Amino acid sequence: QEQLVESGGGLVQPGGSLRLSCEASRRLFRISTMGWYRQAPGKERELVATISSSGTTNYADSVKGRFTISRDNAKNTVFLQMNSLLSEDTAIYYCNAERPPVTIEDQRIMTYWGKGTLVTVSS
């Protein structure tokens, strides 16, 4: 029922830029912390950046100063602007939504994932 629809992946040269987008449902987006994760071949999936429902951001050290996460609450969409891309940024990028507990009775923290979009940084 809850889908995260990603777009924006592709091939870019080192030093170039890409912007990833992820759209969620209104009911999920408005209360969730949204994030981007990535997984390179032979490596574990790692956190890239997150943004809370109130706009607080967090970044992996490897992307600080180069990537910017933002959210458009009117479009229920989270973005990842990637600048100064490096070959090491090559990975499948996954959109993530972390939904907090919604009732006193149901205290689960639910996590949702997109299908991933491939970013290749190469000359």
Side-chain angles (χ1 to χ4, degrees), residues 15-18 63 65-68 80-86 89:
S17 299
L18 279 177
V63 306
R66 300 188 298 120
F67 291 9
T68 302
L80 184 68
Q81 179 65 47
M82 303 183 292
N83 299 326
S84 302
L85 282 162
L86 306 170
D89 295 317

Side-chain angles (χ1 to χ4, degrees), residues 27-46:
R27 64 183 182 182
L28 178 64
F29 187 86
R30 64 186 299 176
I31 65 173
S32 297
T33 292
M34 304 298 297
W36 290 96
Y37 290 70
R38 67 186 182 186
Q39 187 168 24
K43 295 186 177 181
E44 295 184 351
R45 187 175 299 187
E46 64 177 356

Side-chain angles (χ1 to χ4, degrees), residues 48-94:
V48 177
T50 63
I51 182 167
S52 73
S53 59
S54 62
T56 300
T57 58
N58 183 49
Y59 297 92
D61 289 341
S62 60
V63 306
K64 287 181 179 178
R66 300 188 298 120
F67 291 9
T68 302
I69 189 170
S70 61
R71 59 195 295 159
D72 186 334
N73 293 327
K75 297 183 180 297
N76 305 316
T77 301
V78 62
F79 303 97
L80 184 68
Q81 179 65 47
M82 303 183 292
N83 299 326
S84 302
L85 282 162
L86 306 170
S87 296
E88 301 91 277
D89 295 317
T90 296
I92 299 174
Y93 284 70
Y94 298 91

